[in-house]
Protein backbone atom coordinates (compact mmCIF):
# COMPACT_ATOMS: atom_id res chain seq x y z
CA UNK A 1 0.00 0.00 0.00
CA UNK A 2 2.82 2.35 0.94
CA UNK A 3 4.67 1.41 -2.25
CA UNK A 4 1.55 2.08 -4.27
CA UNK A 5 1.11 5.47 -2.67
CA UNK A 6 4.76 6.29 -3.34
CA UNK A 7 4.38 5.27 -6.98
CA UNK A 8 1.22 7.34 -7.36
CA UNK A 9 2.96 10.25 -5.67
CA UNK A 10 5.89 10.06 -8.08
CA UNK A 11 3.44 9.96 -10.99
CA UNK A 12 1.74 13.03 -9.54
CA UNK A 13 5.02 14.94 -9.24
CA UNK A 14 5.85 13.83 -12.79
CA UNK A 15 2.70 15.58 -13.95
CA UNK A 16 3.51 18.69 -11.95
CA UNK A 17 7.08 18.70 -13.27
CA UNK A 18 5.77 18.42 -16.80
CA UNK A 19 3.42 21.32 -16.24
CA UNK A 20 6.23 23.48 -14.85
CA UNK A 21 8.61 22.58 -17.68
CA UNK A 22 5.90 23.20 -20.25
CA UNK A 23 5.04 26.61 -18.81
CA UNK A 24 8.67 27.72 -18.56
CA UNK A 25 9.34 26.70 -22.17
CA UNK A 26 6.11 28.37 -23.29
CA UNK A 27 7.03 31.60 -21.49
CA UNK A 28 10.50 31.56 -23.06
CA UNK A 29 8.97 30.96 -26.47
CA UNK A 30 6.42 33.76 -26.17
CA UNK A 31 8.99 36.19 -24.77
CA UNK A 32 11.45 35.39 -27.57
CA UNK A 33 8.72 35.75 -30.20
CA UNK A 34 7.69 39.08 -28.73
CA UNK A 35 11.29 40.23 -28.99
CA UNK A 36 11.44 39.06 -32.63
CA UNK A 37 8.64 41.33 -33.77
CA UNK A 38 9.89 44.36 -31.84
CA UNK A 39 13.61 44.35 -32.77
CA UNK A 40 14.86 46.99 -35.19
CA UNK A 41 17.82 44.89 -36.18
CA UNK A 42 17.37 41.84 -38.39
CA UNK A 43 20.26 39.87 -36.88
CA UNK A 44 19.06 40.46 -33.31
CA UNK A 45 15.57 39.37 -34.34
CA UNK A 46 17.03 36.22 -35.90
CA UNK A 47 18.81 35.34 -32.64
CA UNK A 48 15.54 35.62 -30.74
CA UNK A 49 13.71 33.67 -33.44
CA UNK A 50 16.18 30.80 -33.03
CA UNK A 51 15.50 30.78 -29.26
CA UNK A 52 11.77 30.76 -29.94
CA UNK A 53 12.11 27.77 -32.28
CA UNK A 54 14.25 25.94 -29.70
CA UNK A 55 11.56 26.53 -27.08
CA UNK A 56 8.92 25.06 -29.41
CA UNK A 57 11.25 22.10 -30.03
CA UNK A 58 11.48 21.50 -26.27
CA UNK A 59 7.68 21.60 -26.06
CA UNK A 60 7.51 19.02 -28.86
CA UNK A 61 9.81 16.82 -26.80
CA UNK A 62 7.62 17.26 -23.72
CA UNK A 63 4.58 16.31 -25.80
CA UNK A 64 6.19 12.98 -26.69
CA UNK A 65 7.28 13.86 -30.22
CA UNK A 66 11.10 13.52 -30.15
CA UNK A 67 11.46 13.04 -33.92
CA UNK A 68 9.68 16.27 -34.72
CA UNK A 69 11.64 18.06 -31.99
CA UNK A 70 14.91 17.01 -33.64
CA UNK A 71 13.62 18.09 -37.06
CA UNK A 72 12.55 21.45 -35.65
CA UNK A 73 16.06 22.08 -34.34
CA UNK A 74 17.80 20.84 -37.49
CA UNK A 75 15.63 22.28 -40.25
CA UNK A 76 13.96 25.33 -38.70
CA UNK A 77 16.57 26.56 -36.23
CA UNK A 78 19.40 25.25 -38.40
CA UNK A 79 18.81 25.38 -42.12
CA UNK A 80 16.08 27.99 -42.53
CA UNK A 81 17.64 30.44 -40.07
CA UNK A 82 21.02 30.08 -41.79
CA UNK A 83 19.25 30.92 -45.07
CA UNK A 84 17.82 34.06 -43.46
CA UNK A 85 21.25 34.96 -42.09
CA UNK A 86 22.88 34.52 -45.51
CA UNK A 87 20.38 36.86 -47.12
CA UNK A 88 20.65 39.47 -44.35
CA UNK A 89 24.41 39.43 -44.69
CA UNK A 90 24.28 39.45 -48.52
CA UNK A 91 22.06 42.51 -48.63
CA UNK A 92 24.53 44.75 -46.87
CA UNK A 93 27.44 44.90 -49.22
CA UNK A 94 29.44 48.08 -49.62
CA UNK A 95 31.87 50.30 -47.78
CA UNK A 96 29.55 50.70 -44.80
CA UNK A 97 29.51 46.95 -44.12
CA UNK A 98 32.34 46.96 -41.60
CA UNK A 99 30.81 49.84 -39.69
CA UNK A 100 27.46 48.11 -39.69
CA UNK A 101 28.97 44.87 -38.45
CA UNK A 102 30.60 46.78 -35.63
CA UNK A 103 27.28 48.32 -34.65
CA UNK A 104 25.47 45.00 -34.88
CA UNK A 105 27.98 43.00 -32.88
CA UNK A 106 28.02 45.15 -29.79
CA UNK A 107 28.97 43.27 -26.64
CA UNK A 108 25.83 42.80 -24.63
CA UNK A 109 23.35 42.30 -27.44
CA UNK A 110 23.73 38.54 -27.08
CA UNK A 111 22.81 38.47 -23.40
CA UNK A 112 19.04 38.37 -23.91
CA UNK A 113 19.01 35.37 -26.26
CA UNK A 114 21.70 33.69 -24.18
CA UNK A 115 19.67 33.94 -20.97
CA UNK A 116 16.58 32.48 -22.65
CA UNK A 117 18.67 29.73 -24.28
CA UNK A 118 20.32 28.87 -20.95
CA UNK A 119 16.87 28.47 -19.38
CA UNK A 120 15.95 26.01 -22.14
CA UNK A 121 19.28 24.21 -21.72
CA UNK A 122 18.64 23.93 -17.99
CA UNK A 123 15.27 22.33 -18.67
CA UNK A 124 16.83 19.86 -21.10
CA UNK A 125 19.62 18.94 -18.67
CA UNK A 126 17.01 18.49 -15.94
CA UNK A 127 14.90 16.29 -18.22
CA UNK A 128 17.76 13.93 -19.05
CA UNK A 129 19.55 14.19 -15.72
CA UNK A 130 16.62 13.42 -13.43
CA UNK A 131 15.75 10.24 -15.32
CA UNK A 132 12.05 11.02 -15.12
CA UNK A 133 11.54 11.23 -18.85
CA UNK A 134 9.23 8.21 -18.80
CA UNK A 135 7.20 9.70 -15.93
CA UNK A 136 6.88 12.99 -17.70
CA UNK A 137 5.39 11.33 -20.73
CA UNK A 138 1.96 10.91 -19.17
CA UNK A 139 0.80 11.04 -22.77
CA UNK A 140 1.89 8.26 -25.09
CA UNK A 141 5.09 9.20 -26.95
CA UNK A 142 4.99 8.63 -30.70
CA UNK A 143 8.36 7.36 -31.84
CA UNK A 144 9.95 7.96 -35.28
CA UNK A 145 9.06 4.45 -36.48
CA UNK A 146 5.33 5.09 -36.13
CA UNK A 147 5.68 8.46 -37.83
CA UNK A 148 7.55 7.04 -40.79
CA UNK A 149 5.11 4.13 -41.13
CA UNK A 150 2.22 6.57 -41.37
CA UNK A 151 4.16 9.03 -43.54
CA UNK A 152 5.14 6.48 -46.19
CA UNK A 153 1.88 4.55 -45.93
CA UNK A 154 -1.41 6.46 -46.04
CA UNK A 155 0.29 9.82 -46.60
CA UNK A 156 2.50 8.76 -49.52
CA UNK A 157 0.62 11.07 -51.87
CA UNK A 158 1.52 13.95 -49.53
CA UNK A 159 5.22 13.08 -49.83
CA UNK A 160 4.88 13.19 -53.61
CA UNK A 161 3.09 16.52 -53.41
CA UNK A 162 5.84 17.88 -51.14
CA UNK A 163 8.46 16.86 -53.71
CA UNK A 164 6.39 18.54 -56.43
CA UNK A 165 6.34 21.67 -54.25
CA UNK A 166 10.06 21.65 -53.49
CA UNK A 167 11.18 21.35 -57.13
CA UNK A 168 9.30 24.50 -58.29
CA UNK A 169 10.60 26.17 -55.14
CA UNK A 170 14.16 25.38 -56.20
CA UNK A 171 13.61 26.49 -59.80
CA UNK A 172 11.75 29.63 -58.71
CA UNK A 173 14.45 30.64 -56.25
CA UNK A 174 17.13 30.11 -58.92
CA UNK A 175 15.16 32.08 -61.49
CA UNK A 176 14.43 35.01 -59.17
CA UNK A 177 17.89 35.16 -57.65
CA UNK A 178 19.97 35.06 -60.82
CA UNK A 179 21.90 38.08 -61.95
CA UNK A 180 20.23 40.00 -64.76
CA UNK A 181 22.06 40.52 -68.01
CA UNK A 182 22.42 44.10 -69.28
CA UNK A 183 19.70 43.63 -71.91
CA UNK A 184 17.21 42.34 -69.34
CA UNK A 185 18.08 45.00 -66.78
CA UNK A 186 17.53 47.85 -69.24
CA UNK A 187 13.97 46.78 -70.11
CA UNK B 1 -4.83 12.17 -13.98
CA UNK B 2 -7.43 13.77 -16.19
CA UNK B 3 -5.86 17.17 -15.68
CA UNK B 4 -2.46 15.74 -16.66
CA UNK B 5 -3.92 14.21 -19.82
CA UNK B 6 -5.82 17.33 -20.83
CA UNK B 7 -2.98 19.71 -20.00
CA UNK B 8 -1.09 19.47 -23.31
CA UNK B 9 -4.19 19.99 -25.43
CA UNK B 10 -5.64 23.18 -24.00
CA UNK B 11 -2.41 24.91 -22.99
CA UNK B 12 -0.63 23.78 -26.14
CA UNK B 13 -3.40 25.11 -28.35
CA UNK B 14 -3.41 28.36 -26.36
CA UNK B 15 0.34 28.67 -26.87
CA UNK B 16 -0.06 27.98 -30.58
CA UNK B 17 -2.75 30.64 -30.81
CA UNK B 18 -0.60 33.11 -28.90
CA UNK B 19 2.41 32.53 -31.15
CA UNK B 20 0.21 32.77 -34.23
CA UNK B 21 -1.24 36.06 -32.96
CA UNK B 22 2.24 37.45 -32.30
CA UNK B 23 3.28 36.46 -35.81
CA UNK B 24 0.18 38.09 -37.24
CA UNK B 25 0.87 41.30 -35.32
CA UNK B 26 4.44 41.28 -36.62
CA UNK B 27 3.19 40.70 -40.16
CA UNK B 28 0.79 43.64 -39.94
CA UNK B 29 3.04 46.06 -38.08
CA UNK B 30 6.44 45.62 -39.67
CA UNK B 31 7.23 47.08 -43.09
CA UNK B 32 10.70 45.59 -43.50
CA UNK B 33 10.21 42.66 -45.86
CA UNK B 34 12.65 40.42 -43.97
CA UNK B 35 10.66 40.89 -40.77
CA UNK B 36 7.49 40.10 -42.70
CA UNK B 37 9.05 36.80 -43.80
CA UNK B 38 10.10 36.05 -40.21
CA UNK B 39 6.53 36.70 -39.03
CA UNK B 40 5.25 34.26 -41.65
CA UNK B 41 7.72 31.69 -40.32
CA UNK B 42 6.42 32.24 -36.78
CA UNK B 43 2.85 31.72 -37.93
CA UNK B 44 3.72 28.53 -39.86
CA UNK B 45 5.55 27.23 -36.81
CA UNK B 46 2.54 27.97 -34.59
CA UNK B 47 0.29 26.06 -36.99
CA UNK B 48 2.70 23.12 -36.85
CA UNK B 49 2.67 23.29 -33.06
CA UNK B 50 -1.12 23.03 -33.08
CA UNK B 51 -0.89 19.93 -35.29
CA UNK B 52 1.66 18.25 -33.01
CA UNK B 53 -0.35 19.10 -29.88
CA UNK B 54 -3.48 17.59 -31.37
CA UNK B 55 -1.54 14.52 -32.49
CA UNK B 56 -0.10 14.08 -28.99
CA UNK B 57 -3.57 14.36 -27.46
CA UNK B 58 -4.80 11.33 -29.39
CA UNK B 59 -1.47 9.47 -29.41
CA UNK B 60 -1.48 9.33 -33.20
CA UNK B 61 1.37 10.03 -35.63
CA UNK B 62 -0.81 12.00 -38.05
CA UNK B 63 -0.13 15.32 -36.33
CA UNK B 64 3.62 14.85 -36.68
CA UNK B 65 3.19 13.89 -40.34
CA UNK B 66 1.29 17.11 -40.94
CA UNK B 67 4.10 18.99 -39.19
CA UNK B 68 6.56 17.44 -41.64
CA UNK B 69 4.46 18.77 -44.51
CA UNK B 70 4.34 22.21 -42.88
CA UNK B 71 8.13 22.03 -42.58
CA UNK B 72 8.54 21.25 -46.29
CA UNK B 73 6.13 24.05 -47.14
CA UNK B 74 8.07 26.49 -44.95
CA UNK B 75 11.36 25.52 -46.58
CA UNK B 76 9.99 26.05 -50.10
CA UNK B 77 8.26 29.28 -49.10
CA UNK B 78 11.31 30.79 -47.44
CA UNK B 79 13.64 29.93 -50.33
CA UNK B 80 11.39 31.63 -52.88
CA UNK B 81 10.66 34.49 -50.45
CA UNK B 82 14.32 35.19 -49.81
CA UNK B 83 15.10 35.07 -53.54
CA UNK B 84 12.34 37.67 -53.94
CA UNK B 85 13.96 39.75 -51.18
CA UNK B 86 17.29 39.66 -53.01
CA UNK B 87 15.60 40.72 -56.25
CA UNK B 88 13.62 43.39 -54.39
CA UNK B 89 16.76 44.87 -52.85
CA UNK B 90 18.54 44.86 -56.19
CA UNK B 91 15.59 46.66 -57.74
CA UNK B 92 14.76 49.27 -55.10
CA UNK B 93 17.92 49.43 -52.93
CA UNK B 94 15.80 49.20 -49.79
CA UNK B 95 13.71 46.65 -47.93
CA UNK B 96 10.54 48.66 -47.32
CA UNK B 97 7.64 46.60 -48.61
CA UNK B 98 5.75 49.79 -49.50
CA UNK B 99 8.39 50.59 -52.13
CA UNK B 100 6.78 47.95 -54.33
CA UNK B 101 3.28 49.36 -54.05
CA UNK B 102 3.04 49.79 -57.82
CA UNK B 103 3.45 47.22 -60.53
CA UNK B 104 4.72 48.06 -63.97
CA UNK B 105 3.58 44.86 -65.60
Amino acid sequence: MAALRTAWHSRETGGVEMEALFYIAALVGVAATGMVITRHNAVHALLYLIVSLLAVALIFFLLGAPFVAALEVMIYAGAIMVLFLFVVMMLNQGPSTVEQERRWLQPGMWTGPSILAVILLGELVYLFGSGTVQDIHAIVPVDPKQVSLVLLGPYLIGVELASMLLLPGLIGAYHLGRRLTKAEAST
Amino acid sequence: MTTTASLPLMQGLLLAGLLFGLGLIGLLVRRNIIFVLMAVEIMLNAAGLAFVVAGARWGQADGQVMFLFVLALAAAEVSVGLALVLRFYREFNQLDADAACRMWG
Side-chain angles (χ1 to χ4, degrees):
Chain A
M1 190 63 198
L4 189 68
R5 191 175 297 139
T6 318
W8 186 78
H9 186 69
S10 77
R11 167 67 68 143
E12 184 76 357
T13 48
V16 172
E17 277 168 4
M18 182 195 164
E19 277 188 36
L21 290 172
F22 177 86
Y23 282 128
I24 295 170
L27 271 180
V28 168
V30 170
T33 308
M35 294 298 272
V36 170
I37 62 173
T38 52
R39 292 305 92 189
H40 297 295
N41 200 314
V43 176
H44 297 179
L46 274 176
L47 285 177
Y48 279 110
L49 186 51
I50 289 171
V51 174
S52 161
L53 295 174
L54 291 181
V56 173
L58 187 58
I59 287 172
F60 285 164
F61 188 75
L62 285 175
L63 288 172
F67 179 53
V68 164
L71 276 183
E72 170 98 5
V73 173
M74 281 193 289
I75 298 183
Y76 253 120
I80 294 181
M81 289 305 113
V82 165
L83 209 57
F84 263 105
L85 203 62
F86 272 154
V87 170
V88 170
M89 293 301 177
M90 270 174 79
L91 291 179
N92 296 283
Q93 293 171 336
S96 62
T97 309
V98 177
E99 190 54 42
Q100 194 165 33
E101 290 287 315
R102 191 171 296 130
R103 272 190 286 115
W104 281 5
L105 292 178
Q106 286 162 351
M109 53 127 311
W110 49 269
T111 46
S114 304
I115 290 168
L116 294 178
V118 162
I119 293 173
L120 289 178
L121 181 66
E123 282 195 44
L124 202 61
V125 167
Y126 175 77
L127 264 175
F128 285 114
S130 64
T132 55
V133 178
Q134 293 307 318
D135 272 352
I136 283 167
H137 286 154
I139 42 179
V140 190
V142 181
D143 58 354
K145 188 181 175 187
Q146 288 170 268
V147 177
S148 47
L149 277 177
V150 175
L151 178 66
L152 297 178
Y155 287 100
L156 193 58
I157 188 72
V159 178
E160 296 294 332
L161 285 175
S163 72
M164 285 171 64
L165 173 73
L166 285 170
L167 182 62
L170 174 70
I171 296 171
Y174 176 71
H175 176 74
L176 288 169
R178 80 195 193 289
R179 295 224 169 263
L180 291 179
T181 57
K182 278 222 166 64
E184 285 172 311
S186 62
T187 55
Chain B
M1 194 57 206
T2 51
T3 54
T4 313
S6 67
L7 164 84
L9 185 67
M10 275 316 293
Q11 273 80 347
L13 287 182
L14 268 179
L15 175 68
L18 205 57
L19 288 180
F20 191 90
L22 279 173
L24 187 62
I25 291 171
L27 180 69
L28 294 174
V29 168
R30 301 307 294 259
R31 290 269 65 89
N32 188 322
I33 198 164
I34 286 198
F35 282 92
V36 171
L37 273 180
M38 279 190 221
V40 171
E41 288 299 308
I42 293 170
M43 289 161 69
L44 277 174
N45 196 37
L49 176 63
F51 272 120
V52 173
V53 168
R57 170 66 180 83
W58 301 106
Q60 297 290 320
D62 302 63
Q64 298 189 35
V65 169
M66 287 311 290
F67 180 81
L68 294 185
F69 291 148
V70 171
L71 203 64
L73 177 72
E77 173 261 332
V78 84
S79 62
V80 174
L82 286 173
L84 273 173
V85 169
L86 282 179
R87 189 65 179 274
F88 188 97
Y89 187 74
R90 223 175 279 153
E91 199 82 21
F92 299 105
N93 276 319
Q94 59 177 336
L95 287 173
D96 187 357
D98 287 340
C101 62
R102 297 184 62 187
M103 302 178 89
W104 290 286

